[in-house]
């Protein structure tokens, strides 16, 4: 099939046809970047580039699947299947799996998912005798992840000056790495770090991969962190046929390691690069884009671009002021109900976007009161369900007997009479000896006053799991998992945990879904197996939570601004446009308002036809009512200065002189921006 480039606008076509050398495609919101990427891949194939020589990386499984599907529609499934398309993590896993011995993992790679990482952090704190009141396991894990994303080692971080929490993080980081090594596991960040080390240290492997991947495409480049940047740079440094697509105005993930300077400095990293800017928006009306343009132009560090609507003019953007958040919720739900009931809209046409996790509570109350169906994005993932985690824990220990997190999960699941005292003694012995918990159970005879009856129960469990692991199932993966479920009587565990027959059936359906996933894995993989299946599931559980449900059901969508990125809706309500909420109070204190401005820009550009912004005069907080002030972004949208009684950050407790100084600075900046325009 010949690729028809006539359907592209001139800028899109230039991006597609420029195949040699580095290329930066600045793709404004709704400018058709996915079309450009897929058409570019199809164009390369039409130019007789072998599919095996093309590598395309993005950030979510959903985006990768969509990219491959759209390429298949253009060039056929046979050629599309030979491409390497995936998330950064899945591509790195593929590389590491190919060179496991070179990275010191001869027995294969086991990946710790998000829940496993939290469990590991808990174990580390327990080993260090640090109370969770001093630092939560989730905080420790997120701090470690951020350090890894910045390529900061435990040794480097330990040398940095810091407060008491930093000291605890330094201790925890070092012990966490030891925990992962002795469990023979990697977390998601390790997939990137090990790949960087492999490419940096092994010239032969680096050369082989550079020769294989002669054309590299990266989507959402504004979200790359330091390890991802290094992987891309090392793979492309020989041929330099690198195309990155992104929008610095939509860089909203610095809190998880994304580094906006990578896209801002692309021209410095690749001086010969061509830059193509996509400014024609195929999603929103010009009124919506005007509001977005007026806000984002206030960010000093950005690539200049101004969105223009392909659809033309539309409805005016609505700005509504309410007395409090209850009245705000009543208004939003009343508007949605009215538009739906008069036949103008479906429920799924509406999205309510908010900045903080506590905002939807009053909205949910009102939606229920008025009988409006809705979905709150950010609920429990399939992979977070107890029964799913239990079954996967069995399979993980079968694959990797040193996986102590998974072993501890199934020791009493179903109940086997292994008490807390026994577990504590085994854990203490493992820590003292520097061995894994599974190894400690095997050496339990050395532990003083341990309950040997309970220990022998665990040892028998370990032996049964070991025998199962020796089967190495491949095409027989589904009957193998069924055998595991039957051998360990997992159905009885479901019946024990849930007394209601309906709940039991519902939970068992989730277990059966694992069997369905195993069947799909065997069908689509040339070399299926338990290890690859577990890694596939672990990667599937990361990064895409809840988004897949969006737009499928006829319900109103409630979601955070962060979760809304990449989505679009006919009508959007952006609530809580107030100082201290958007921009968030923390960002004002830490001088990171630029990212909050990008977040507002993302929210505004989700709307296709109608956009309503709202703020309140007062808001409930800690059991009382406080006066709040409109977001600075509202005044930027209007192109006017804030009034005299406006307080940056909305903090009534600020000292008068501080208020005046900040306001003077804000007004001075506004005058400078108007002068530039």
């Amino acid at each position: 099939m010949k690729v028809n480039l006539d359907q592209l606008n001139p800028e899109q076509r230039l991006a597609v046809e420029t195949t040699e050398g580095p290329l930066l495609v600045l793709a404004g919101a709704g400018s058709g970047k996915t079309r450009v990427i897929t058409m570019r891949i199809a164009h390369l194939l039409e130019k007789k580039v072998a599919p095996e020589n093309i590598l395309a990386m993005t950030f979510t499984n959903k985006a990768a699947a969509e990219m491959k599907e759209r390429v298949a529609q253009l060039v056929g499934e046979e050629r599309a299947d030979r491409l390497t398309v995936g998330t950064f993590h899945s591509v790195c896993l593929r590389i590491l799996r190919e060179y496991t011995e070179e990275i010191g993992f001869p027995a294969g790679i086991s990946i710790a998912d998000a829940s496993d990482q939290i469990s590991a952090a808990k174990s580390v704190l327990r080993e260090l005798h640090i109370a969770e009141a001093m630092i939560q396991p989730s905080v420790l894990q997120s701090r470690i992840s951020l350090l890894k994303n910045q390529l900061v080692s435990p040794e480097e971080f330990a040398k940095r000056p810091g407060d008491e929490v930093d000291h605890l993080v330094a201790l925890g980081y070092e012990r966490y790495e030891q925990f992962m090594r002795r469990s023979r596991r990697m977390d998601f960040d390790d997939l990137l770090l090990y790949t960087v080390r492999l490419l940096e240290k092994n010239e032969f492997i680096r050369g082989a991969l550079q020769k294989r991947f002669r054309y590299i495409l990266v989507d959402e480049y504004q979200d790359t962190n330091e390890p991802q940047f290094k992987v891309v740079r090392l793979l492309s440094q020989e041929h330099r046929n690198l195309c990155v697509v992104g929008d610095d105005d939509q860089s909203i993930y610095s809190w998880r390691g994304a580094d906006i300077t990578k896209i801002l400095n692309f021209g410095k990293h690749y001086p010969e690069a061509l830059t193509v800017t996509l400014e024609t928006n195929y999603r929103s009306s010009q009124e919506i884009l005007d509001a977005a343009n007026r806000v984002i132009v206030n960010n000093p560090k950005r690539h200049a671009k101004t969105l223009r609507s392909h659809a033309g003019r539309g409805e005016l953007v609505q700005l509504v002021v309410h007395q409090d958040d209850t009245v705000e919720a009543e208004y939003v739900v009343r508007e949605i109900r009215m538009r739906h009931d008069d036949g103008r809209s479906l429920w799924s046409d509406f999205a309510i976007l908010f900045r903080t996790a506590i905002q939807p509570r009053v909205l949910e109350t009102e939606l229920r009161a008025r009988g409006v169906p809705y979905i709150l994005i950010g609920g429990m993932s399939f992979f977070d369900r107890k029964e799913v985690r239990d079954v996967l824990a069995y399979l993980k220990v079968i694959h990797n007997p040193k996986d102590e997190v998974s072993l501890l999960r199934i020791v009493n699941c179903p109940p086997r009479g292994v008490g807390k005292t026994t577990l504590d003694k085994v854990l203490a012995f493992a820590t003292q000896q520097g061995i894994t918990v599974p190894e400690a159970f095997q050496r339990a005879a050395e532990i003083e006053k341990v309950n040997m009856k309970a220990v022998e129960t665990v040892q028998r469990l370990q032996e049964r799991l070991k025998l199962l692991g020796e089967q190495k199932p491949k095409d027989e993966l589904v009957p193998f998992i069924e055998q595991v479920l039957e051998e360990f009587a997992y159905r009885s565990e479901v019946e024990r945990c849930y007394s209601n027959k309906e709940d039991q059936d519902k939970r068992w359906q989730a277990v059966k879904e694992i069997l369905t996933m195993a069947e799909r894995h065997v069908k689509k993989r040339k070399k299926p197996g338990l290890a690859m299946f577990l890694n596939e599931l672990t990667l599937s559980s990361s990064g895409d939570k809840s988004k897949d449900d969006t737009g499928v059901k006829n319900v109103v969508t409630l979601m955070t601004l962060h979760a809304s990125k990449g989505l679009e809706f006919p009508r959007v309500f952006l609530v809580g446009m107030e100082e201290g909420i958007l921009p968030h109070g923390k960002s004002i204190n830490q001088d990171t308002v630029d990212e909050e401005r990008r977040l507002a820009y993302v929210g505004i550009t989700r709307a296709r036809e109608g956009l309503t912004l709202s703020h309140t005069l007062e808001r409930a907080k800690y059991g009382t009512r406080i006066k709040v002030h409109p977001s600075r972004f509202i005044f930027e949208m209007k192109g006017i200065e804030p009034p005299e009684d406006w307080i940056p950050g909305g903090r009534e407790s600020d000292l008068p002189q501080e208020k005046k100084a900040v306001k003077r600075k804000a007004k001075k900046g506004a005058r400078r921006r108007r002068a530039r325009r």
Side-chain angles (χ1 to χ4, degrees):
M1 184 186 295
K2 184 170 176 60
V3 181
N4 180 16
L5 302 184
D6 293 338
Q7 59 187 285
L8 303 174
N9 67 36
E11 293 78 22
Q12 291 175 331
R13 184 159 186 163
L14 178 60
V16 167
E17 292 184 321
T18 305
T19 58
E20 307 303 307
L23 172 69
L24 169 62
V25 181
L26 292 171
S31 62
K33 72 177 179 67
T34 306
R35 172 185 281 191
V36 167
I37 293 170
T38 53
M39 292 285 278
R40 182 181 167 87
I41 293 172
H43 182 62
L44 284 167
L45 294 172
E46 196 172 64
K47 289 180 64 178
K48 307 302 181 187
V49 174
E52 291 81 4
N53 293 147
I54 299 174
L55 167 63
M57 292 187 286
T58 186
F59 282 83
T60 67
N61 300 300
K62 184 179 178 182
E66 182 186 354
M67 190 187 299
K68 198 162 187 177
E69 184 181 334
R70 288 176 67 164
V71 171
Q73 290 170 359
L74 293 170
V75 304
E77 286 193 17
E78 189 275 328
R79 283 202 288 176
D81 283 343
R82 290 158 56 199
L83 298 164
T84 301
V85 179
T87 64
F88 272 94
H89 293 101
S90 66
V91 169
C92 286
L93 175 60
R94 194 178 306 189
I95 291 171
L96 294 175
R97 195 187 289 132
E98 190 174 345
Y99 300 105
T100 49
E101 292 197 11
E102 284 80 357
I103 60 171
F105 275 73
I109 299 168
S110 294
I111 307 173
D113 65 17
S115 181
D116 293 336
Q117 292 166 44
I118 297 295
S119 296
K122 284 183 179 179
S123 297
V124 162
L125 292 175
R126 187 171 57 241
E127 289 178 12
L128 293 168
H129 305 292
I130 296 172
E132 291 188 14
M134 298 177 71
I135 181 169
Q136 289 289 318
S138 58
V139 173
L140 174 62
Q141 191 279 324
S142 63
R143 289 285 302 271
I144 290 171
S145 179
L146 189 58
L147 289 167
K148 287 186 176 185
N149 287 335
Q150 296 167 344
L151 290 180
V152 178
S153 69
E155 297 75 23
E156 289 175 298
F157 186 67
K159 293 175 184 175
R160 292 183 178 180
D163 57 20
E164 186 180 353
V165 174
D166 291 329
H167 176 65
L168 296 178
V169 171
L171 293 172
Y173 188 6
E174 182 181 15
R175 191 63 66 93
Y176 177 88
E177 292 293 88
Q178 293 171 3
F179 182 97
M180 285 293 172
R181 279 195 293 271
R182 75 173 186 245
S183 300
R184 302 194 62 77
R185 307 183 86 187
M186 294 184 188
D187 62 24
F188 295 128
D189 302 310
D190 288 332
L191 294 174
L192 302 171
L193 297 180
Y194 275 92
T195 304
V196 170
R197 290 172 196 154
L198 179 70
L199 293 172
E200 284 181 334
K201 293 178 180 179
N202 195 310
E203 187 178 345
F204 174 79
I205 292 173
R206 184 174 67 247
L209 291 171
Q210 287 171 349
K211 188 175 181 181
R212 182 189 307 172
F213 300 129
R214 288 177 43 232
Y215 292 88
I216 299 176
L217 299 92
V218 182
D219 188 18
E220 303 286 8
Y221 190 68
Q222 76 280 350
D223 293 335
T224 50
N225 59 30
E226 185 66 22
Q228 289 161 342
F229 168 77
K230 284 207 166 186
V231 168
V232 171
R233 194 162 174 82
L234 288 163
L235 288 175
S236 65
Q237 67 182 12
E238 186 64 31
H239 52 71
R240 300 177 79 79
N241 294 326
L242 171 65
C243 170
V244 303
V245 182
D247 182 7
D248 48 297
D249 290 336
Q250 297 186 72
S251 180
I252 58 173
Y253 297 119
S254 67
W255 48 276
R256 66 184 190 198
D259 184 355
I260 192 174
T261 65
K262 299 300 182 243
I263 192 169
L264 292 177
N265 295 333
F266 188 81
K268 292 180 182 177
H269 301 141
Y270 300 90
E272 76 275 33
L274 172 69
T275 298
V276 177
T277 306
L278 308 181
E279 296 176 296
T280 302
N281 175 286
Y282 295 91
R283 177 189 300 154
S284 309
S285 68
Q286 192 59 52
E287 279 72 13
I288 292 168
L289 298 183
D290 285 345
N293 289 330
R294 289 191 199 110
V295 169
I296 203 64
V297 76
N298 292 279
N299 270 1
K301 295 179 181 177
R302 61 184 291 265
H303 289 290
K305 67 187 84 68
T306 303
L307 295 179
R308 300 181 300 272
S309 174
H310 184 262
R313 312 304 301 187
E315 298 177 23
L316 293 175
V317 174
Q318 301 293 312
L319 173 62
V320 190
V321 184
H322 306 283
Q323 183 61 35
D324 59 26
D325 43 352
T326 300
V327 178
E328 180 182 53
E330 289 171 352
Y331 169 81
V332 170
V333 177
R334 187 169 61 248
E335 282 290 302
I336 291 173
R337 177 99 243 183
M338 182 179 67
R339 285 183 172 274
H340 172 270
D341 290 353
D342 67 12
R344 284 183 286 173
S345 305
L346 299 171
W347 295 124
S348 55
D349 288 342
F350 301 98
I352 307 173
L353 308 183
F354 46 86
R355 174 64 179 88
T356 65
I358 62 169
Q359 286 175 264
R361 291 176 191 171
V362 64
L363 290 160
E364 285 192 88
T365 301
E366 189 62 24
L367 286 162
R368 288 176 180 177
R370 287 185 171 267
V372 176
Y374 70 92
I375 181 172
L376 176 62
I377 300 299
M380 179 181 284
S381 161
F382 170 80
F383 295 97
D384 288 334
R385 298 181 186 188
K386 177 192 181 299
E387 57 278 8
V388 174
R389 300 205 60 77
D390 288 347
V391 174
L392 293 184
Y394 272 102
L395 298 178
K396 286 176 181 179
V397 178
I398 289 169
H399 167 59
N400 177 12
K402 293 188 176 183
D403 185 343
E404 59 187 67
V405 169
S406 296
L407 178 64
L408 288 170
R409 182 176 186 91
I410 63 174
V411 156
N412 278 314
C413 177
R416 295 186 174 90
V418 184
K420 183 177 182 299
T421 303
T422 300
L423 290 174
D424 286 345
K425 286 183 178 180
V426 173
L427 284 165
F429 180 72
T431 303
Q432 179 189 355
Q433 298 294 317
I435 59 176
T436 65
V437 169
E439 289 171 322
F441 272 111
Q442 293 300 311
R443 291 173 52 183
E446 303 172 37
I447 304 173
E448 189 177 346
K449 294 182 180 178
V450 72
N451 182 340
M452 283 306 297
K453 185 178 178 181
V455 166
E456 286 165 5
T457 299
V458 178
Q459 289 174 341
R460 286 194 296 272
L461 172 65
Q462 288 178 292
E463 186 61 31
R464 290 162 72 192
L465 292 166
K466 181 184 176 185
L467 290 172
L468 285 166
E470 290 170 357
Q471 293 184 29
K472 298 197 180 304
K474 292 183 180 178
D475 293 344
E476 308 83 18
L477 193 55
V478 173
F480 175 78
I481 298 173
E482 289 175 331
Q483 179 189 347
V484 172
L485 293 172
E486 188 171 337
E487 184 157 341
F488 296 102
Y490 191 73
R491 182 68 192 249
S492 67
E493 169 69 357
V494 172
E495 291 169 355
R496 182 185 71 85
C497 293
Y498 307 99
S499 56
N500 183 285
K501 181 68 167 61
E502 189 177 333
D503 287 341
Q504 291 173 5
D505 292 342
K506 186 178 177 182
R507 298 288 176 166
W508 190 248
Q509 284 302 316
V511 174
K512 290 171 74 173
E513 182 62 24
I514 298 173
L515 296 171
T516 304
M517 291 175 169
E519 184 183 23
R520 288 194 202 115
H521 168 80
V522 171
K523 275 186 178 179
K524 72 180 182 181
R525 294 294 177 192
K526 292 178 182 176
K527 295 181 179 179
L530 181 59
M532 188 178 288
F533 175 60
L534 289 172
N535 288 337
E536 195 176 86
L537 288 188
T538 303
L539 289 173
S540 296
S541 71
S542 68
D544 291 340
K545 290 185 181 180
S546 304
K547 279 196 178 184
D548 290 344
D549 288 335
T550 307
V552 175
K553 302 172 185 174
N554 187 22
V555 295
V556 175
T557 299
L558 275 76
M559 66 191 336
T560 64
L561 287 164
H562 282 100
S564 74
K565 186 172 174 291
L567 303 176
E568 59 180 74
F569 302 89
R571 313 199 74 83
V572 168
F573 292 85
L574 179 44
V575 299
M577 290 283 289
E578 295 145 29
E579 290 287 299
I581 294 181
L582 185 67
H584 196 276
K586 188 176 179 181
S587 75
I588 297 168
N589 295 332
Q590 296 179 349
D591 197 24
T592 56
V593 171
D594 285 2
E595 180 150 333
E596 294 289 297
R597 189 173 282 111
R598 293 193 290 269
L599 199 52
Y601 173 86
V602 165
I604 292 167
T605 54
R606 298 312 94 196
R608 292 208 301 262
E609 301 161 17
L611 173 66
T612 300
L613 310 170
S614 66
H615 71 88
T616 66
L617 301 176
E618 60 182 31
R619 190 168 286 272
K621 191 172 184 181
Y622 306 130
T624 186
R625 296 261 162 192
I626 61 167
K627 184 181 178 183
V628 292
H629 294 258
S631 168
R632 65 193 69 192
F633 305 145
I634 289 175
F635 301 115
E636 291 173 358
M637 240 177 280
K638 292 180 173 183
I640 62 174
E641 292 183 7
E644 283 297 320
D645 61 348
W646 178 78
I647 299 175
R651 296 171 304 211
E652 294 286 359
S653 59
D654 283 351
L655 295 173
Q657 290 305 313
E658 291 176 329
K659 292 181 192 176
K660 291 176 183 176
V662 176
K663 284 183 71 174
R664 281 197 301 270
K665 186 177 178 182
K667 288 184 177 183
K668 189 176 179 182
R671 284 194 293 271
R672 278 202 307 268
R673 289 190 292 272
R674 283 200 301 276
R676 283 203 302 270
R677 290 199 291 269

